[in-house]
Amino acid sequence: MGIADLKQIVEALLIASPEPLTDARFRACLKDEATNIPLADIISELETDYTKSRRAFEIKKVASGFQIVTKSEFEPYIKGLFSKAGKLRLSQAALETLAIVSYRQPVTKNDIEAIRGVSSDSSLRTLLDRKLLEIRGRDEGPGRALLYRTSTEFLQYFGLNTVKDLPKLREVEDILSEEQDELL
Amino acid sequence: MDKPLRVDLEMFEGPLDLLLFLIKRDELNIYDIPIAKITRDFLVYVGMAKELKLHSAGDFVLMAATLMKIKARMLLPQDPDGDEEIEDPRTELINMLLEYKRYKEAAVTFEELERSERPHYYHIPAPWTAEEEDQTAILEDVKLYDIMLTFQYLLKNYEEPLTHHVAVEEVTLSEQAGYLSSLLQTKGKISFLNLLERFESRLIVVVTFLAILEMLRSRQVKVKQSKLFDDLLISRGAEFGNR
């Protein structure tokens, strides 16, 4: 099968896939018509086509896979499709909770609240409802508290490829030296 | 100097956030917080919290108590012999503040990522419904959490009027399990919603649901669902028939 056929197949898969298309899933879909060409190569061919023909969308590498997304300049028009003014943004509390989970996962509600110093029930609920977090088992310790971790949707939402892509959390020492500098 | 006279407590995510604000506002050294002053300022805000009936007021009051405890401990005379190194009573609080500050900063990063991702939209194909389902389900491994949520949702249709009658309902778990087995024997798969239509009382629904969970555990049945709160499709499991 030639690259032209593969490009079409990948394009079809990208549009129909309910989640970012991974190399493994792509191969599984090909079944007998196996190819050695990596998905990433076919994707980059498609991207070239899209740029040439000025498409309104682009391919994003996210959650270890690929996804077709609209280009940002069309947001003002796309917003007209939705009753609410675009997507709902996360609250400060939810963002803090999410930050703690993403760097320390798996964590319990207690771990989160110990760091935030404030009850985090409602932000946890919001994040679970929006599927940015998921429950993954229970803690071994007393009480067998639920353990939370980030989901694939979390990676999609923030445009991250893997959790390892998160910017490194600043060291306490750095924060301290900055505090000192400010005082001087 | 740019010092806001009055700041809404609702601006703060919690007591630690408020303390960080006070430290920044007064350009205090986080390693050497003047505890008497900060306690006083903190209490002014907590006073506001009482009026506002904030749901997180309890967390603020708890921090106020902690601050006063630290303040009291700092007033205690130092060890006269000077043999033992006495830990600064503020150490624990300082560590908490620094740790919280790290994640508060990380939250800013997430907000920036959110902002840069927001203008991108993607299409999510509609999942197939249970009726169209054949061998391939959207969610092969439905999590117990999903099933419980669905059940809770479906059970709302069975709200019973508040009356007092005591009658013994003759329904047992094994009876319902047997009933499900015989249905599966003939039909291959059952829709949970259709199943519910056959029952009149909430109790039978609950017992049937427990029977499904039990059979799921012993792998006599499989349960599939196309999306959350959607119908559950029950079919024969690997251990079907082996009891």
Side-chain angles (χ1 to χ4, degrees), chain A residues 42-158:
Chain A
I42 305 169
I43 293 283
S44 81
E45 293 264 346
L46 275 175
E47 279 176 322
T48 316
D49 291 357
Y50 292 169
T51 317
K52 271 191 210 151
S53 55
R54 299 189 61 222
R55 311 311 312 201
F57 46 83
E58 60 197 18
I59 304 174
K60 242 182 135 62
K61 187 163 171 57
V62 75
S64 307
F66 297 93
Q67 185 167 49
I68 287 185
V69 300
T70 59
K71 289 189 171 172
S72 51
E73 60 257 46
F74 300 103
E75 192 197 16
Y77 308 102
I78 295 169
K79 268 183 175 172
L81 291 171
F82 302 100
S83 52
K84 291 206 179 80
K87 302 177 192 169
L88 283 174
R89 285 170 56 186
L90 292 172
S91 68
Q92 192 58 37
L95 286 166
E96 280 180 15
T97 305
L98 203 55
I100 294 168
V101 178
S102 58
Y103 285 102
R104 300 183 64 127
Q105 55 189 320
V107 292
T108 65
K109 183 164 82 84
N110 264 346
D111 299 335
I112 299 165
E113 292 179 344
I115 294 174
R116 294 192 62 225
V118 63
S119 152
S120 303
D121 285 305
S122 68
S123 38
L124 269 175
R125 173 138 285 245
T126 309
L127 294 166
L128 282 174
D129 285 348
R130 294 186 65 172
K131 295 191 178 288
L132 298 172
L133 292 185
E134 55 192 26
I135 295 167
R136 273 297 177 83
R138 287 174 177 274
D139 192 24
E140 294 291 320
R144 313 238 313 125
L146 292 171
L147 288 168
Y148 298 92
R149 60 192 314 158
T150 55
S151 62
T152 306
E153 283 87 346
F154 160 82
L155 295 172
Q156 271 177 289
Y157 189 81
F158 291 103

Side-chain angles (χ1 to χ4, degrees), chain A residues 18-38:
Chain A
E19 53 199 33
L21 182 68
T22 59
D23 197 84
R25 181 49 62 96
F26 162 62
R27 267 161 228 296
C29 294
L30 281 181
K31 296 203 175 102
D32 307 331
E33 307 169 67
T35 173
N36 298 326
I37 307 175

